[in-house]
Amino acid sequence: MTNIEEMSVNAIRVLSADAIQKANSGHPGLPLGAAPMAYELWANHMNHNPADPDWENRDRFILSGGHGSMLLYSLLHLFGYGSLSIEDIKNFRQFGSLTPGHPEYGHTVGIEATTGPLGQGMAMAVGMAMAEKHLAAVFNREGYPVVDHYTYVLGGDGCMMEGISSECFSLAGTLGLSKLIVFYDSNNISIEGSTDIAFTEDVTKRFEAFGFQCLEVSDGNDLEAIGRAIEEAKADTARPSMIKVNTLIGFGCPAKQGKASAHGEPLGVDNVAALKENIGWPCKGDFEVPQEVYDNYKSIAARKAEAEAAWNDMFAQYCEKFPELAELWDKYYNGADLSELFNSDEYWAKAEKPEATRSTGGAILNVIKESMPNLFGGSADLAPSNKTNMKDAGDFSKETPAGANLHFGVREQAMTAIGNGIALHGGLKAYVATFFVFSDYTKPMARLSALMKLPLTYIFTHDSIGVGEDGPTHEPIEQLAAFRSMPNFAVYRPCDRTETAAAWMHAVTSTDHPTALVLTRQNLPQMEGSSKEALKGAYVIAKETKAEPDAIIIASGSEVSLAADAKKELAKEGIDVRVVSMPCMDIFEQQSEEYKESILPKSCRKRVAVEALSDFGWYRYVGLDGRVISMKGFGASGPAATLFEHFGFTVDNVVKTVKSIM
């Protein structure tokens, strides 16, 4: 290691320690231990251009151990990303700063993914590597590797303990994602102390079993050894690689290195001073970095820009030689024009007979994919039940990477994070699918979808007690309320083909939030009054005949037809009700006050909501004077029709409930 290299590595350590100390909060252990591998990668092996952070063919770097965020912020500052200033570094973890406690995608330039929940960054990296492999198969031509980049991810023992890591890396090995390189920061320390108290397996053997090339660097400060391992990883074009780098947590701080206390608390003023003295740092003041270090990073950044310039020249020639591929590239990366599809009568045509919305959803997916060639998704081993297979699109595999249908296996957690990674990569419109009851496995990753404003589409089928004979273990009751409670997440539960078409239209045109399509197993009738007004979240599907309704029945999904039938029965007794279909509470809440008042007028306080799920969230629409017909328990095993009757989802019960509040 040359003197300037050593100083450049130590600059990462010093800035990290100073920022964490000033904030009196943070995690210095990872940045101090992992600084050499991060510097070696970013300076000598990774293709990136600080002057153009969004370059399509850049290598991706994800810090899965997001608690070590100061490692990443120090790199971004030193390389000159987005003018991330020394003042931004000083404002680490402060309100409104560009340097929050964990890296946040879309908030700070150069951050590829929001990380912090351990293991999720690992799976998002797998998604990015899958996207790269697929796009390369679609677009690359001999002599024109326009999609040709690596995905690097760094995490520690905690990431390796999380189950999601095993899920995603098992799939990565199966798919032969050779441009995925995992850095394992192995320091044998977690918050509670030595990892030996709970984690003694041979991680390398586990990765070998997954199908990875496994490499090891014995000294985490040896830049040459780290560099050799990276190049050896790149040389394997058949397997993903894991590089185990043995590090010392809190390296350089005599009182803290190698100890659990280095992980998640500031070093202390005296220990920061001791760190600087121990590593021979020439500056005494806080946040001081020698100009020669900044000059070194600047010269490296200038060399990095040359790689993009060469790619830009190649891409211009590619577009000239392959104009049809250039046009396709534009559709993938800038979005296909779907206006003709969504304005067509065919798209909104009513179905002729009752149909399960899962089947309807599958048919609509196959219509959309003809106009949206970059759809890329699949199911956690449930495609035949979820109806998520795209016809004639092929299967994505090691041998057929151009295929667009993904097979995640029984790995809902990894599937969802991989979907996030695909969406983050760019160029593809991703979707994931499973049974609605298994959405519990997707929840933490779905939360990151919403937090990162990713337009990932979730397909959740078998939406309530209509699952029937499978019984309460497979009958989702509380899941809809949980997803509705999540900020920036649109949840559609459509009642028929028209509303399912609206839900799909919303999902694939969204640019800043995920959408869930919650679909039935059982057949539903096609509703006479259903319309594209479903795009507003709620609308009047069956109007009253009087100037004002006597009561309002609100329902979603399979219960909308039940509400409409109850309206007819009530009319026989002179009770004139309005039926409101509310497929998406989230979108309804975004409408104007005038529109919401037109659908649910405050003058009508007699309201009944009907939904074969939890009543949580419905009382804001029915009020203290209203009633909710819902599930109070976990369901049962039996034919769907029997269960609906047993739990009170009948015309008679809806009629009785409406009359009880008149």
Side-chain angles (χ1 to χ4, degrees):
M1 186 189 301
T2 65
N3 184 57
I4 190 59
E5 287 177 322
E6 183 177 8
M7 290 181 67
S8 297
V9 169
N10 285 336
I12 299 170
R13 289 171 165 147
V14 167
L15 287 177
S16 298
D18 280 342
I20 292 165
Q21 188 60 45
K22 183 176 184 296
N24 197 30
S25 176
H27 299 74
L30 186 153
L32 295 181
M37 75 175 92
Y39 173 79
E40 175 64 21
L41 173 65
W42 281 56
N44 299 319
H45 306 274
M46 195 167 92
N47 282 333
H48 63 109
N49 182 7
D52 185 9
D54 296 325
W55 171 33
E56 290 94 337
N57 200 46
R58 69 190 182 279
D59 289 339
R60 272 67 168 174
F61 175 82
I62 302 93
L63 181 64
S64 187
H67 57 275
S69 57
M70 267 313 305
L71 172 80
L72 193 46
Y73 298 144
S74 297
L75 286 164
L76 294 172
H77 165 67
L78 292 165
F79 273 106
Y81 269 82
S83 301
L84 193 71
S85 69
I86 196 67
E87 290 303 313
D88 294 317
I89 299 297
K90 292 178 181 179
N91 284 325
F92 176 58
R93 287 191 165 222
Q94 303 310 299
F95 180 74
S97 76
L98 292 176
T99 49
H102 290 79
E104 296 180 19
Y105 170 77
H107 182 73
T108 308
V109 173
I111 302 297
E112 298 283 6
T114 298
T115 56
L118 294 181
Q120 288 201 40
M122 297 293 189
M124 285 188 279
V126 172
M128 292 181 189
M130 288 169 64
E132 192 276 343
K133 189 178 183 78
H134 176 69
L135 290 167
V138 171
F139 286 104
N140 288 358
R141 296 296 183 267
E142 186 175 353
Y144 294 90
V146 292
V147 181
D148 182 19
H149 54 263
Y150 289 87
T151 302
Y152 301 97
V153 59
L154 168 62
D157 294 298
C159 284
M160 296 305 180
M161 291 185 209
E162 290 285 0
I164 190 173
S165 296
S166 290
E167 286 188 13
C168 71
F169 291 138
S170 173
L171 183 60
T174 299
L175 295 174
L177 301 179
S178 61
K179 290 186 176 176
L180 172 67
I181 299 176
V182 180
F183 287 92
Y184 172 23
D185 175 24
S186 178
N187 57 43
N188 300 115
I189 291 292
S190 62
I191 291 175
E192 294 183 351
S194 169
T195 55
D196 288 345
I197 62 175
F199 185 59
T200 58
E201 71 199 53
D202 189 326
V203 175
T204 298
K205 287 182 179 177
R206 173 152 58 102
F207 272 78
E208 288 174 349
F210 290 151
F212 275 63
Q213 172 188 214
C214 294
L215 306 166
E216 184 167 0
V217 176
S218 60
D219 179 3
N221 289 309
D222 188 338
L223 296 187
E224 290 186 7
I226 294 168
R228 286 194 301 271
I230 294 171
E231 291 307 311
E232 191 173 345
K234 287 183 175 183
D236 191 325
T237 59
R239 298 175 294 175
S241 295
M242 186 274 280
I243 304 174
K244 179 182 179 182
V245 182
N246 295 289
T247 63
L248 193 63
I249 193 170
F251 177 86
C253 180
K256 295 279 189 174
Q257 64 182 17
K259 298 180 180 179
S261 60
H263 170 79
E265 60 187 49
L267 298 176
V269 174
D270 292 342
N271 284 328
V272 171
L275 164 71
K276 293 176 182 178
E277 181 178 356
N278 189 45
I279 63 176
W281 191 243
C283 305
K284 300 302 181 184
D286 296 339
F287 301 99
E288 286 189 26
V289 176
Q291 187 58 45
E292 62 189 292
V293 172
Y294 279 116
D295 290 343
N296 180 50
Y297 277 100
K298 187 175 181 179
S299 65
I300 295 171
R303 294 199 304 271
K304 297 297 181 182
E306 295 173 3
E308 182 183 356
W311 182 87
N312 287 336
D313 289 342
M314 177 185 64
F315 188 71
Q317 296 171 31
Y318 172 86
C319 292
E320 191 172 318
K321 186 170 184 177
F322 306 104
E324 72 287 354
L325 287 174
E327 184 179 346
L328 187 64
W329 180 282
D330 186 63
K331 286 183 179 180
Y332 271 61
Y333 282 89
N334 297 316
D337 183 2
L338 301 176
S339 58
E340 184 176 346
L341 172 64
F342 292 139
N343 289 326
S344 68
D345 292 337
E346 179 186 0
Y347 185 76
W348 297 103
K350 293 275 187 183
E352 295 180 356
K353 60 182 180 179
E355 187 175 52
T357 52
R358 62 166 174 159
S359 298
T360 300
I364 293 171
L365 166 64
N366 276 280
V367 170
I368 292 174
K369 66 107 169 166
E370 296 302 323
S371 299
M372 182 175 267
N374 61 336
L375 276 173
F376 190 56
S379 173
D381 197 48
L382 290 171
S385 292
N386 296 148
K387 308 299 182 185
T388 50
N389 192 69
M390 291 184 286
K391 296 175 183 176
D392 303 319
D395 292 337
F396 177 80
S397 70
K398 182 192 300 186
E399 295 77 19
T400 58
N405 287 300
L406 303 181
H407 298 280
F408 293 102
V410 188
R411 303 183 181 100
E412 294 89 355
Q413 296 182 76
M415 171 186 73
T416 315
I418 286 169
N420 284 340
I422 293 168
L424 286 164
H425 180 279
L428 296 168
K429 186 69 174 180
Y431 65 88
V432 296
T434 187
F435 287 167
F436 193 28
V437 73
F438 301 147
S439 67
D440 284 338
Y441 290 126
T442 73
K443 184 74 162 45
M445 288 58 68
R447 185 174 185 271
L448 279 192
S449 301
L451 188 60
M452 290 188 282
K453 301 181 179 180
L454 298 179
L456 180 63
T457 299
Y458 290 75
I459 302 166
F460 295 136
T461 70
H462 298 58
D463 69 330
S464 73
I465 56 173
V467 173
E469 291 85 351
D470 277 342
T473 61
H474 282 57
E475 291 168 2
I477 301 302
E478 74 280 11
Q479 282 81 356
L480 196 62
F483 274 86
R484 282 172 173 162
S485 73
M486 196 185 306
N488 198 45
F489 201 111
V491 185
Y492 268 91
R493 186 174 183 246
C495 74
D496 68 354
R497 188 202 186 282
T498 301
E499 288 193 359
T500 306
W504 260 115
M505 177 179 174
H506 180 94
V508 297
T509 57
S510 169
T511 59
D512 61 2
H513 64 266
T515 303
L517 280 60
V518 182
L519 309 174
T520 67
R521 176 200 188 198
Q522 74 275 23
N523 289 340
L524 302 184
Q526 306 303 326
M527 298 300 297
E528 181 180 348
S530 63
S531 77
K532 63 175 68 176
E533 289 293 292
L535 289 166
K536 295 181 179 178
Y539 65 104
V540 178
I541 195 168
K543 198 174 187 328
E544 67 281 2
T545 58
K546 297 178 182 177
E548 295 287 337
D550 294 326
I552 300 174
I553 306 175
I554 317 167
S556 80
S558 52
E559 288 69 68
V560 174
S561 63
L562 178 61
D565 290 342
K567 170 183 170 64
K568 294 173 184 176
E569 291 301 312
L570 287 162
K572 295 176 183 178
E573 301 186 40
I575 301 173
D576 191 13
V577 305
R578 169 184 293 189
V579 177
V580 171
S581 177
M582 188 175 282
C584 187
M585 288 182 180
D586 314 87
I587 300 303
F588 180 64
E589 287 300 316
Q590 296 173 17
Q591 304 308 309
S592 68
E593 290 302 317
E594 291 77 12
Y595 180 78
K596 287 191 280 187
E597 172 67 17
S598 74
I599 303 303
L600 297 174
K602 295 182 179 68
S603 60
C604 184
R605 296 166 64 98
K606 296 177 175 61
R607 304 177 181 183
V608 172
V610 190
E611 191 170 65
L613 296 149
S614 166
D615 64 2
F616 194 88
W618 274 111
Y619 282 95
R620 66 172 149 174
Y621 297 116
V622 302
L624 295 176
D625 300 330
R627 299 286 186 273
V628 181
I629 301 172
S630 64
M631 290 296 298
K632 306 298 183 185
F634 284 110
S637 178
T642 301
L643 297 183
F644 276 102
E645 182 175 359
H646 173 76
F647 289 110
F649 298 97
T650 64
V651 172
D652 286 347
N653 191 38
V654 176
V655 168
K656 177 183 175 183
T657 304
V658 171
K659 290 168 69 175
S660 74
I661 61 172
M662 296 302 293

